[in-house]
Amino acid sequence: MISALFSWETIASAIRMATPLAFASLGGVYSERSGVVNIALEGIMLVGAFFAAVFVYFFKNPWFAIFMAGIFGTFLSLIHAIVSINFKVNQIVSGVALNMLATGGTTFLSRLIFKAAGSSPHLEGLAPWSIPGLSSIPGIGKLFLNLSPLIIIMFFTVIFSHFILFKTVFGLRLRSVGENPHAADTLGINVYLYRYIAVLISGFLGGVGGAFLSLEHARVFVETMTVGRGFIALAAMIFGKWTPFGSLGACLLFGLAEAIRMRLEGVGIPTQFIQMIPYILTMLILAGVVGKATAPAADGIPYEKEEL
């Protein structure tokens, strides 16, 4: 059993499990680096999973469905941006409300559109990709064989996000409005604009993460199928100290826990205990790390422009 737990298949499964978390966690990095807490990622992922299923159900084009999942995730995050940036509503309350809206809305629309309670029909996913050369290496080649294209896109998105956040003027300004928005404002940086852009990016990435769940992971939309993955993504963001690479590493750790959970099913351990593994890991990491991690100084604090 030990060899099965730490085989190349388990690692490949861990990467697949980490992919939707990594997309959502990256979204959280953008949002919180700008000073806006976005716990609506759970609902955004669920909305992305649902609309990806709807569009592939009607149009039979997975790429278009994934794009539309990102668009609807962006729309939900736009609501969060308006109420938290313009109206300065408590960002946690806004996120909770949107999560409830996403849960009820997707459940209602799912039963209305798919004419069935619980789940959609089987969905068409993306054609898998294999990386030439690497996929033919004995052993480790299994990691590069028949990959979901979204996995490859996720890794490039992490690298691109690191470059954007830490190597460009845009990233410097985005981080400045999350650390000291008043100082950024005095330098002529539009705090509201940058916060809007960051929250909308988080919505698009969260929606794509949700699309991975319904189109690539399950090939079906199931009501409330995110089951806390949005919150795990936020935990990964904190564990990764609000950085793209750190968040990816934490998501891979959570993905490994999920993969091990799947491997342990059917070996005599109570199912309820096995299913708790990823969530126990989340609590342990938060308990051990959250006290040491330092969030952006203005994270969660509404910005009030001073009138001269």
Side-chain angles (χ1 to χ4, degrees), residues 23 26 29-30 152-168 170-171 174 201 204-205 243-245 248:
F23 274 117
L26 269 180
V29 170
Y30 276 101
I152 299 172
I153 292 172
M154 180 271 291
F155 280 108
F156 277 107
T157 305
V158 170
I159 297 170
F160 181 70
S161 296
H162 175 81
F163 176 77
I164 289 293
L165 286 172
F166 297 103
K167 304 294 182 183
T168 66
F170 172 80
L174 185 71
I201 291 174
F204 188 87
L205 291 174
T243 64
F245 284 119
L248 172 62

Side-chain angles (χ1 to χ4, degrees), residues 33 171-184 187 189 298:
R33 278 288 182 178
L172 178 62
R173 291 179 175 178
L174 185 71
R175 287 184 286 126
S176 70
V177 302
E179 294 289 347
N180 193 331
H182 292 285
L187 294 174
I189 298 172

Side-chain angles (χ1 to χ4, degrees), residues 62 72 78 89 192 210 234-235 243 284 288:
F72 276 90
L78 176 63
V89 172
Y192 295 138
L234 286 172
T243 64
L284 290 176

Side-chain angles (χ1 to χ4, degrees), residues 55-270:
F55 278 90
V56 83
Y57 177 72
F58 285 109
F59 296 97
K60 311 299 181 188
N61 186 330
W63 286 111
F64 177 62
I66 291 167
F67 175 74
M68 292 309 297
I71 293 297
F72 276 90
T74 304
F75 176 74
L76 197 65
S77 69
L78 176 63
I79 299 174
H80 182 58
I82 291 172
V83 299
S84 61
I85 297 174
N86 287 84
F87 296 103
K88 299 174 179 53
V89 172
N90 184 291
Q91 296 166 13
I92 303 299
V93 173
S94 171
V96 171
L98 289 175
N99 287 335
M100 296 172 67
L101 174 66
T103 302
T106 54
T107 299
F108 170 74
L109 292 175
S110 174
R111 299 183 183 191
L112 186 68
I113 294 174
F114 299 124
K115 309 295 182 187
S119 66
S120 71
H122 180 77
L123 302 169
E124 178 183 355
L126 297 168
W129 291 355
S130 295
I131 300 178
L134 295 177
S135 59
S136 59
I137 300 175
I140 194 173
K142 296 177 181 178
L143 297 178
F144 307 100
L145 187 66
N146 295 326
L147 287 173
S148 165
L150 283 183
I151 293 177
I152 299 172
I153 292 172
M154 180 271 291
F155 280 108
F156 277 107
T157 305
V158 170
I159 297 170
F160 181 70
S161 296
H162 175 81
F163 176 77
I164 289 293
L165 286 172
F166 297 103
K167 304 294 182 183
T168 66
V169 174
F170 172 80
L172 178 62
R173 291 179 175 178
L174 185 71
R175 287 184 286 126
S176 70
V177 302
E179 294 289 347
N180 193 331
H182 292 285
D185 196 7
T186 59
L187 294 174
I189 298 172
N190 190 327
V191 175
Y192 295 138
L193 176 62
Y194 275 85
R195 286 190 169 182
Y196 259 93
I197 293 173
V199 175
L200 296 183
I201 291 174
S202 75
F204 188 87
L205 291 174
V208 172
F212 184 92
L213 288 175
S214 59
L215 298 190
E216 297 295 278
H217 180 62
R219 294 290 174 100
V220 67
F221 172 77
V222 180
E223 294 172 4
T224 66
M225 69 185 301
T226 49
V227 288
R229 285 184 173 87
F231 299 115
I232 292 177
L234 286 172
M237 175 198 67
I238 296 170
F239 184 59
K241 298 185 183 302
W242 291 267
T243 64
F245 284 119
S247 297
L248 172 62
C251 290
L252 290 172
L253 181 62
F254 287 121
L256 181 62
E258 188 76 14
I260 290 175
R261 177 190 69 79
M262 295 175 63
R263 294 279 175 178
L264 288 176
E265 288 182 348
V267 298
I269 303 175

Side-chain angles (χ1 to χ4, degrees), residues 262-282:
M262 295 175 63
R263 294 279 175 178
L264 288 176
E265 288 182 348
V267 298
I269 303 175
T271 304
Q272 293 83 356
F273 178 78
I274 293 174
Q275 290 179 341
M276 290 169 57
I277 291 176
Y279 304 100
I280 291 174
L281 180 64
T282 302

